[in-house]
């Protein structure tokens, strides 16, 4: 079998090549190469009249009128050209006069003109369309086909002698031009050894204008007229990397015919005989001659066959296919190489060389050992890690790199153990960590990946070594950052959660309590806003340090977020009650915090949740601690609040109420009631205050005192406030249209000032509703004026310029009411009901009300007293100089219809209590 193996290999290779058609590419390449070696000049009997770029520049854009082709025919006839072939489409009519001129020219030159026909594929994939010259043209000319076949590699090699169009066989243009017969003759191979540059060519325009030199080239010549200009696109790729135009390709085919160079392949019998001969020769010489002699025989045989094929192709119109012969020679040469080269040794040397290059270029340390674990390979990466040069380490035990454990009982790292594990692990590699020792004595953590293999000199081991000290430090740092706050160094939320879980588990076993204090800094945002975040960070660090000092290691101190901290402790381990502990922490911040050159006085509020009553999980304790902190910030700033279930219940009630209020807004359950405002002197109606009411589908009317505090602090605030303003303005406009100029007062919400331009909103609403501005009155409270004072001041000036009245509501209940009277554009103020209810019995209230009325008159402001519930109070206010008032004595808040019936149905001279 080994004796016949090379010949079997050749047979298999030839079979594969023949089945795949690969030999065709080699055959074509060899044929094209012979054309280059045996090039020849054209005979000169065929001349191309080129429709070239200069002709297009002189005559104009293609296509040209056929009268020009008629003139060309006359010029060619006068120049005594023999035959004229047009490679131009004449299948469609053009200008009748031009077509008639061309027919006349065809007739006059005596029928020696050849006109083309060609097949054109259709876009829908159907049968090809045949384009023929028009009947008047074909009657005066010879027909010819100009189609050629493009092979799979995109090149044109073969030229058809004729092609069947319809029922008849039509000869090709070059065949007609050369005067050959086209019946039942196969296509031939064009001789591309004929140099294209030697085919004579003249410009169409030179012939048309009668250029003497051009016409002299045409005498007794066969003429092909066609497009050679690049922009006309009639181009074909041919062997040896050339691209030629269609007329030149027809000229090459005609030259091949005229020079008896209609090339054809020889019979396959010769190729089979050659293959048999080379196989027999190799079978005879394979074991008799040395490989060099066999190689020389094969090379000589291949060169001889190719020289013979080149000679035959040059002398006769025959092409010998030598592709399979050359393939057989190449396969035999390959078989000789495979038979003679020691591939195992070669591959071993290649692998060893490649391994050495890789080992020396690795950034990691690479150390190899023999069976005795003595170092045999030491790369530069290992030198960089341990500090030893290769000469210092080659031959030494691997354990030289290992540090001796500091603890006496610890077992040192053993290479034998790692090697044994590497042999047992699938894949042959095991990763271990050990303490390494550098040349300078420094110890450091090393990660080693051990593997073992059978080498040429016995079993060997290898280890890829990495210094992981940086990685270890980074891992420690990442772990620290995962558990601690980066700014203060305190535990973070994750570590607090884990610590709480441990404390609660221990408390569960001892049946003790665990307390969680959630601390919030009061006024910390002002420090950030005034001094910047850098100063704020210093304050947070100072707070953290003070908390550490106060707990003295007996509790977990954590920073939750922003200005919130937490303390978790086991109540059984502290010597004080949790309330006392919380108060001690709060009192600790009565002393100022020192940050650099500054001192900051920061108070803290504390929410306390105690396990198990305040939550049975860390999340519950944190949630309830935050709820207690919120309560502390609103009721006991600077102190503490211990969580009770009532706090969460209040929050849940608020959330439920917020949800119901949102649904109520969507369902339109809110209404506006109107309470009359009268002149106290005569009881005449001057206006009405619009008050919102909620008609609950189950509970009926809900008191505003129950839901308005929630509305004013929720996202629903602005939506309801805008609805109140728009509804009240439309109602006031309706009353105005009915002849009752009732001034409507509306209470503003803080959200209306914070969300946008209130002055613009009021102006747009007045324009939409058409309400007279003086009939709209806006009531503002001190909490609205507290924020962004300059912006609010400008806004109310613009509102007052619209003609809308602005009143200060609940006067006397704030902190700086008198200053607001001076700064803000007000038309009046309302005395709060808390001063009016006990006006007759409380001299202090009387003094305040009297002073307010006197001050208002001096400032030119209208005074409206709220909460008047009897005639005596009304009369007393009149005696003090108060002009207007409202209260249950004059009328309760009521729906618009009831208000119209009671106060607007007829002119009322006075209002009395009923």
């Amino acid at each position: 079998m080994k004796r016949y193996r090379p010949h079997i290999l050749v047979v298999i290779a030839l079979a594969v090549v023949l089945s795949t058609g690969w030999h065709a590419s080699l055959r074509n390449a060899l044929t094209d190469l012979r054309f280059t070696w045996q090039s020849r000049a054209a005979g000169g009997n065929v001349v191309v009249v080129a429709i070239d770029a200069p002709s297009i520049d002189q005559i104009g854009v293609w296509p040209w009128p056929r009268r020009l082709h008629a003139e060309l025919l006359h010029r060619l006839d006068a120049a005594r050209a023999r035959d004229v072939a047009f490679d131009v489409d004449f299948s469609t009519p053009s200008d009748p006069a031009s077509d008639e001129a061309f027919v006349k020219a065809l007739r006059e030159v005596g029928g020696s003109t050849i006109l083309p026909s060609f097949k054109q594929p259709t876009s829908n994939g159907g049968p090809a369309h045949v384009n023929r010259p028009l009947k008047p043209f074909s009657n005066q000319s010879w027909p010819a086909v100009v189609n050629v076949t493009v092979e799979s590699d995109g090149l044109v090699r073969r030229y058809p002698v004729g092609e069947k169009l319809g029922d008849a066989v039509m000869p090709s243009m070059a065949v007609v031009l050369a005067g050959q017969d086209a019946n039942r003759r196969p296509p031939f191979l064009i001789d591309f050894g004929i140099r294209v540059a030697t085919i004579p060519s003249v410009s169409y325009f030179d012939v048309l204008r009668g250029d003497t030199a051009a016409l002299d080239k045409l005498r007794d010549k066969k003429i092909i007229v066609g497009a050679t200009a690049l922009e006309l696109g009639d181009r074909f790729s041919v062997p040896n990397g050339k691209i030629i135009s269609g007329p030149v390709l027809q000229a090459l085919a005609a030259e091949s015919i005229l020079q008896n160079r209609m090339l054809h392949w020889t019979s396959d019998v010769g190729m089979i005989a050659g293959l048999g001969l080379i196989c027999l020769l190799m079978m005879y010489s394979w074991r008799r001659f040395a490989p060099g002699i066999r190689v020389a025989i094969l090379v000589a045989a291949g060169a001889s066959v190719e020289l013979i094929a080149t000679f035959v192709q040059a002398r006769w119109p025959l092409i010998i296919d030598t592709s399979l012969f050359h393939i057989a020679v190449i396969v035999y040469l390959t078989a000789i190489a495979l038979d003679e080269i020691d591939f195992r040794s070669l591959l071993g040397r290649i692998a060893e060389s490649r391994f050495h290059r890789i080992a020396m270029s690795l950034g990691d340390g690479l150390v190899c050992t023999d069976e005795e674990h003595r170092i045999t390979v030491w790369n530069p990466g290992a030198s960089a890690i341990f500090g030893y040069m290769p000469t210092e380490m080659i031959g030494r035990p691997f354990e030289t790199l290992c540090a001796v454990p500091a603890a006496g009982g610890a077992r040192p790292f053993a290479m034998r153990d790692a090697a044994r594990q590497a042999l047992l692990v699938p894949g042959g590699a095991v990763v271990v960590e050990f303490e390494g020792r550098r040349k300078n004595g420094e110890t450091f953590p090393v990660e080693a990946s051990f593997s073992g293999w059978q080498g040429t000199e016995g079993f060997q081991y290898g280890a890829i070594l990495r210094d992981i000290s940086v990685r270890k430090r980074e891992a420690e740092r990442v772990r620290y950052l995962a558990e601690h706050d980066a700014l203060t160094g305190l535990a973070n939320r994750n570590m607090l959660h884990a610590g709480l879980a441990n404390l609660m588990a221990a408390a569960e076993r001892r049946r003790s309590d665990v307390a969680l204090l959630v601390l919030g800094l009061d006024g910390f945002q002002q420090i950030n806003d005034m001094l910047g975040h850098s100063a704020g960070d210093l304050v947070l660090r100072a707070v953290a340090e003070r908390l550490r000092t106060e707990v003295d290691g007996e509790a977990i101190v954590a920073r939750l977020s922003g200005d919130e901290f937490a303390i978790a402790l086991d109540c059984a381990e502290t010597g004080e009650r949790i309330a006392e502990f919380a108060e001690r922490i709060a009192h600790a911040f009565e002393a100022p915090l020192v940050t650099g050159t500054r001192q900051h006085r920061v108070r803290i509020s504390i929410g306390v949740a105690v396990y198990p009553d305040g939550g049975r999980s860390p999340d519950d304790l944190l949630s309830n601690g935050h709820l207690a902190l919120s309560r502390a910030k609103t009721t006991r700033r600077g102190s503490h609040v211990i969580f009770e279930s009532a706090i969460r219940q209040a929050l849940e009630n608020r959330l439920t109420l917020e949800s119901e209020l949102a649904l109520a807004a969507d369902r339109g359950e809110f209404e506006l009631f109107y309470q009359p405002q009268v002149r106290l002197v005569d009881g005449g109606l001057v206006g009405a205050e619009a008050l919102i009411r909620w008609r609950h589908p189950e509970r009926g009317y809900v008191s505003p005192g129950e839901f308005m505090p929630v509305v004013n602090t929720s996202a629903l605030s602005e939506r309801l406030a805008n609805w109140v303003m728009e509804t009240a303005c439309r109602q006031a406009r309706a009353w105005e249209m009915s002849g009752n100029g009732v001034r409507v007062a509306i209470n503003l919400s803080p959200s209306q000032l914070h969300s946008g331009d209130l002055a613009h909103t009021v102006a747009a609403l007045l324009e939409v509703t058409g309400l007279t501005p003086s009939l709209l009155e806006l009531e503002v409270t001190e909490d609205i004026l507290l924020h962004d004072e300059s912006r609010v001041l400008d806004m109310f000036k613009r509102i007052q310029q619209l003609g809308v009245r602005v009143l200060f509501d609940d006067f006397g209940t704030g902190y700086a009411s008198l200053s607001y009277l001076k700064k803000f554009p007000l038309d009046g103020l309302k005395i709060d009901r808390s001063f009016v209810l006990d006006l007759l019995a409380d001299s202090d209230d009387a003094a305040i009300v009297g002073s307010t009325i006197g001050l208002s008159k001096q400032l030119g402001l209208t005074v409206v007293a709220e909460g008047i519930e009897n005639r005596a109070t009304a009369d007393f206010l009149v005696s003090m100089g108060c002009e207007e008032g409202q209260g249950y004595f004059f009328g309760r808040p009521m729906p618009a219809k009831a208000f119209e019936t009671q106060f607007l149905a007829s002119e009322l001279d006075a209002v009395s209590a009923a």
Side-chain angles (χ1 to χ4, degrees):
M1 185 65 185
K2 184 175 181 181
R3 179 180 179 183
Y4 295 104
R5 185 170 57 193
H7 317 296
I8 295 173
L9 180 62
V10 169
V11 172
I12 293 174
L14 292 174
V16 171
V17 167
L18 286 171
S19 63
T20 57
W22 292 345
H23 68 292
S25 298
L26 179 60
R27 179 188 63 194
N28 291 332
L30 291 170
T31 304
D32 298 343
L33 191 60
R34 294 171 201 155
F35 286 144
T36 303
W37 291 343
Q38 297 288 340
S39 63
R40 67 186 72 234
N45 293 321
V46 181
V47 181
V48 175
V49 176
I51 303 174
D52 52 10
S55 300
I56 294 175
D57 291 340
Q58 295 294 330
I59 297 174
V61 178
W62 180 266
W64 297 331
R66 285 176 180 154
R67 59 180 175 76
L68 296 180
H69 299 322
E71 294 178 23
L72 183 75
L73 279 176
H74 287 302
R75 292 287 187 187
L76 295 173
D77 186 56
R80 297 182 184 178
R82 292 172 59 189
D83 297 315
V84 179
F86 276 90
D87 191 4
V88 179
D89 185 10
F90 290 100
S91 63
T92 56
S94 64
D95 177 53
S98 290
D99 288 351
E100 182 60 32
F102 188 62
V103 172
K104 183 178 178 182
L106 290 172
R107 187 183 307 115
E108 289 176 354
V109 299
S112 61
T113 305
I114 304 167
L115 296 185
S117 297
F118 56 92
K119 289 182 179 180
Q120 188 173 11
T122 56
S123 59
N124 58 6
H129 177 70
V130 178
N131 292 319
R132 302 174 186 269
L134 296 173
K135 191 70 174 176
F137 301 158
S138 61
N139 290 338
Q140 305 296 329
S141 62
W142 292 94
V145 176
V146 294
N147 287 104
V148 292
T149 301
V150 179
E151 298 184 4
S152 59
D153 59 359
L155 303 182
V156 174
R157 291 186 176 87
R158 298 175 183 272
Y159 189 84
V161 176
E163 191 166 352
K164 188 173 184 180
L165 298 181
D167 297 331
V169 175
M170 184 178 292
S172 295
M173 178 173 285
V175 174
V176 177
L177 199 63
Q180 297 292 315
D181 182 15
N183 290 328
R184 292 188 300 278
R185 296 179 64 184
F188 63 89
L189 293 167
I190 299 173
D191 185 2
F192 288 104
I194 300 172
R195 296 190 296 277
V196 173
T198 61
I199 297 176
S201 176
V202 297
S203 176
Y204 187 105
F205 181 71
D206 290 343
V207 176
L208 197 63
R209 66 188 176 90
D211 182 78
T212 304
L215 295 176
D216 288 343
K217 294 180 180 180
L218 307 178
R219 189 180 304 278
D220 295 327
K221 305 296 184 185
K222 297 178 181 293
I223 309 300
I224 299 178
V225 182
T228 62
L230 286 174
E231 55 265 38
L232 299 184
D234 186 16
R235 318 293 290 179
F236 295 95
S237 296
V238 297
N240 296 324
K242 297 178 182 178
I243 299 176
I244 61 176
S245 62
V248 174
L249 181 65
Q250 299 292 339
L252 276 176
E255 282 285 353
S256 298
I257 298 172
L258 292 172
Q259 294 188 32
N260 194 27
R261 297 294 297 168
M262 300 172 66
L263 303 176
H264 293 87
W265 299 105
T266 58
S267 171
D268 293 335
V269 174
M271 176 58 63
I272 295 172
L275 287 174
L277 180 63
I278 193 69
C279 288
L280 290 173
L281 184 60
M282 287 295 103
M283 291 176 69
Y284 174 79
S285 64
W286 198 260
R287 296 300 174 191
R288 290 179 173 83
F289 301 112
I293 296 176
R294 280 179 277 151
V295 169
I297 293 172
L298 288 170
V299 172
S304 300
V305 168
E306 190 57 34
L307 286 173
I308 293 170
T310 302
F311 177 77
V312 169
Q313 185 170 326
R315 293 293 302 272
W316 296 283
L318 296 173
I319 298 177
I320 299 175
D321 181 6
T322 60
S323 59
L324 293 178
F325 188 87
H326 288 302
I327 290 172
V329 169
I330 292 171
V331 175
Y332 270 122
L333 290 173
T334 304
I336 292 173
L338 292 174
D339 197 39
E340 296 301 320
I341 297 174
D342 184 359
F343 277 96
R344 175 174 293 183
S345 175
L346 178 62
L347 291 175
R349 289 194 298 272
I350 292 173
E352 183 178 349
S353 174
R354 184 179 180 186
F355 171 77
H356 187 75
R357 289 198 305 272
I358 294 174
M360 294 303 110
S361 63
L362 275 179
D364 295 328
L366 177 64
V367 177
C368 296
T369 71
D370 57 17
E371 287 183 312
E372 300 301 323
H373 308 306
R374 295 188 176 277
I375 296 173
T376 58
V377 174
W378 181 269
N379 79 335
S383 295
I385 294 173
F386 291 93
Y388 293 103
M389 290 296 103
T391 54
E392 298 177 88
M393 296 305 298
I394 299 298
R396 298 182 66 181
F398 183 88
E399 282 75 8
T400 306
L401 306 176
C402 305
V404 177
R411 182 182 177 186
F413 173 80
M415 173 69 178
R416 297 189 193 310
D417 296 337
R420 192 179 302 112
Q421 293 179 44
L423 295 177
L424 296 176
V425 172
V430 63
V431 178
V432 299
E433 291 185 14
F434 64 90
E435 281 294 312
R437 181 171 58 83
R438 305 189 205 275
K439 184 177 180 179
N440 60 9
E442 177 189 352
T443 61
F444 64 100
V446 179
E447 179 186 79
S449 176
F450 288 96
S451 58
W453 65 91
Q454 180 64 47
T456 56
E457 299 177 359
F459 209 83
Q460 299 178 6
Y461 299 95
I464 296 177
L465 307 174
R466 296 183 181 90
D467 179 353
I468 58 173
S469 53
V470 174
R471 192 171 81 189
K472 287 275 190 179
R473 287 195 297 270
E474 285 298 318
E476 284 295 319
R477 182 173 179 274
V478 169
R479 187 185 65 80
Y480 178 84
L481 292 177
E483 297 177 347
H484 293 80
D485 175 55
L487 177 64
T488 63
L490 298 177
N492 62 9
R493 184 182 291 269
N494 294 332
M495 191 172 179
L496 174 67
H497 194 283
L500 274 174
N502 293 333
L503 287 174
M504 293 165 70
E508 178 72 23
R509 292 191 298 270
R510 295 197 301 263
R511 298 189 177 276
S512 60
D513 296 337
V514 173
L516 175 68
L517 284 68
V518 180
L519 303 86
L521 305 187
D522 297 334
F524 176 73
Q525 187 59 42
Q526 295 178 358
I527 296 175
N528 268 344
D529 294 341
M530 293 173 60
L531 304 178
H533 288 277
S534 297
D537 290 347
L538 292 176
V539 171
L540 292 174
R541 290 194 186 101
V543 170
E545 187 58 36
R546 186 160 295 183
L547 290 175
R548 284 195 195 96
T549 303
E550 289 299 320
V551 302
D552 195 22
E554 296 180 355
I556 300 172
V557 183
R559 182 185 176 207
L560 298 179
S561 63
D563 61 349
E564 286 189 356
F565 296 81
I567 300 175
L569 70 157
D570 190 334
C571 297
E573 296 182 1
T574 181
E576 54 189 330
R577 293 186 297 110
I578 190 60
E580 296 173 352
F581 179 81
E583 281 304 309
R584 178 165 64 83
I585 297 297
H587 291 157
F589 286 87
E590 293 178 355
L593 296 171
V594 179
T595 59
T597 59
R598 289 183 177 273
Q599 290 188 351
H600 302 275
R601 291 194 175 273
V602 177
R603 292 195 310 170
I604 64 169
S605 299
I606 304 175
V608 182
V610 181
Y611 168 86
D613 295 338
R616 304 195 66 85
S617 69
D619 289 332
D620 290 344
L621 276 183
L622 278 168
S623 175
N624 294 334
H626 276 100
L627 289 179
L629 174 62
S630 299
R631 176 65 62 88
K633 283 181 174 291
T634 57
T635 62
R636 300 191 64 189
R637 277 186 175 269
S639 186
H640 75 279
V641 169
I642 297 178
F643 174 79
E644 298 174 349
S645 58
I647 296 176
R648 178 168 292 279
Q649 186 61 48
L651 176 63
E652 292 177 353
N653 292 341
R654 175 187 171 87
L655 293 176
T656 302
L657 185 57
E658 283 186 5
S659 177
E660 290 182 347
L661 287 170
L663 288 174
D666 294 337
R667 296 170 180 169
E669 295 176 1
F670 292 103
E671 300 177 7
L672 279 190
F673 278 25
Y674 298 88
Q675 185 175 24
Q677 295 177 335
V678 301
R679 287 188 302 274
L680 295 179
V681 175
D682 57 7
L685 181 70
V686 294
E689 182 177 7
L691 300 169
I692 191 170
R693 293 293 185 269
W694 176 18
R695 180 156 53 187
H696 195 281
E698 297 176 359
R699 298 162 56 190
Y701 283 108
V702 180
S703 169
E706 181 179 344
F707 69 85
M708 281 308 295
V710 176
V711 169
N712 288 333
T713 56
S714 70
L716 196 61
S717 175
E718 183 182 358
R719 176 182 174 187
L720 277 186
N722 291 337
W723 175 83
V724 168
M725 182 178 289
E726 181 179 354
T727 305
C729 287
R730 293 189 184 279
Q731 183 61 67
R733 177 57 178 167
W735 286 337
E736 183 183 9
M737 294 292 290
S738 66
N740 297 290
V742 180
R743 187 183 68 210
V744 175
I746 302 169
N747 293 289
L748 289 181
S749 167
S751 61
Q752 290 176 287
L753 277 82
H754 301 157
S755 61
D757 189 346
L758 179 63
H760 177 75
T761 302
V762 172
L765 188 57
L766 291 174
E767 183 177 356
V768 170
T769 60
L771 177 65
T772 301
S774 60
L775 296 180
L776 177 61
E777 188 173 87
L778 302 180
E779 297 182 359
V780 298
T781 54
E782 189 176 32
D783 59 339
I784 291 178
L785 305 179
L786 282 172
H787 304 285
D788 200 356
E789 190 173 285
S790 60
R791 175 175 168 272
V792 173
L793 176 62
D794 175 70
M795 193 179 301
F796 278 112
K797 284 181 179 179
R798 290 161 53 205
I799 291 174
Q800 203 173 48
Q801 289 170 2
L802 295 173
V804 176
R805 287 170 52 83
V806 179
L807 264 69
F808 198 172
D809 196 11
D810 298 338
F811 181 77
T813 60
Y815 298 100
S817 299
L818 294 178
S819 65
Y820 291 139
L821 293 180
K822 176 182 177 182
K823 287 188 292 187
F824 283 90
L826 300 172
D827 294 289
L829 55 84
K830 298 183 74 173
I831 300 175
D832 188 69
R833 60 184 292 113
S834 61
F835 299 108
V836 176
L837 289 176
D838 296 328
L839 182 64
L840 298 177
D842 192 323
S843 59
D844 291 339
D845 286 347
I848 292 173
V849 172
S851 299
T852 301
I853 294 173
L855 177 64
S856 300
K857 286 185 175 295
Q858 292 179 10
L859 296 175
L861 303 177
T862 302
V863 180
V864 181
E866 295 181 301
I868 302 174
E869 296 188 356
N870 52 65
R871 169 62 66 185
T873 302
D875 291 341
F876 189 51
L877 286 168
V878 170
S879 67
M880 287 183 171
C882 184
E883 301 169 354
E884 299 177 8
Q886 68 184 82
Y888 288 173
F889 175 69
F890 304 107
R892 292 175 176 270
M894 60 192 73
K897 291 295 183 184
F899 187 87
E900 292 172 3
T901 302
Q902 186 171 346
F903 294 99
L904 303 180
S906 61
E907 292 293 328
L908 298 178
D909 296 330
V911 177
S912 58

